[in-house]
Amino acid sequence: PEIGWDISTHPLPDVPNRGRGREALTTDMFATYLSGWNNYSAELKEVSGAGEHVILVAHETATMRDTGVPLERDLVQLWTVRGGQAVFLRVFRTKAETLEAAGLRE
């Protein structure tokens, strides 16, 4: 319930850069993010981890709702997991940035 997030390294329009709480994560962050796209899909490309860190690389495809401009990119997430529960999410533009934030190197 107290999950937090920080997407300030990959800010998005109309989405808060930081927040806390499961309800806020699903409504303020995820729902707002997804509302900007048509035909959104994400394919999990890679999962890796060390200690309490889990790195996910997802390939996103969508069409921007207002402009029709297509999107195709990889999105890298760093999840902190404690006691089997996700407690914090950070989003990065590259895997290298994510590894550095987690104190890991390729």
Side-chain angles (χ1 to χ4, degrees), residues 8-102:
S8 60
T9 59
H10 191 6
L12 301 166
D14 302 322
V15 177
N17 284 338
R18 293 176 184 84
R20 182 156 294 285
R22 182 180 7 197
E23 181 71 21
L25 179 70
T26 57
T27 59
D28 294 346
M29 215 267 282
F30 289 144
T32 302
Y33 178 67
L34 293 174
S35 71
W37 308 108
N38 288 322
N39 305 315
Y40 178 87
S41 69
E43 179 184 340
L44 188 58
K45 288 177 56 176
E46 182 180 339
V47 177
S48 59
E52 65 180 12
H53 298 294
V54 177
I55 297 170
L56 303 178
V57 180
H59 186 74
E60 295 181 302
T61 58
T63 305
M64 292 179 73
R65 184 172 306 280
D66 293 337
T67 65
V69 173
L71 166 84
E72 187 167 347
R73 68 176 175 196
D74 286 345
L75 182 69
V76 189
Q77 301 175 352
L78 174 63
W79 290 86
T80 303
V81 179
R82 292 188 189 119
Q85 293 188 356
V87 296
F88 206 80
L89 165 64
R90 292 178 68 192
V91 178
F92 296 90
R93 293 183 189 274
T94 68
K95 187 175 176 187
E97 290 174 343
T98 308
L99 289 168
E100 184 174 330

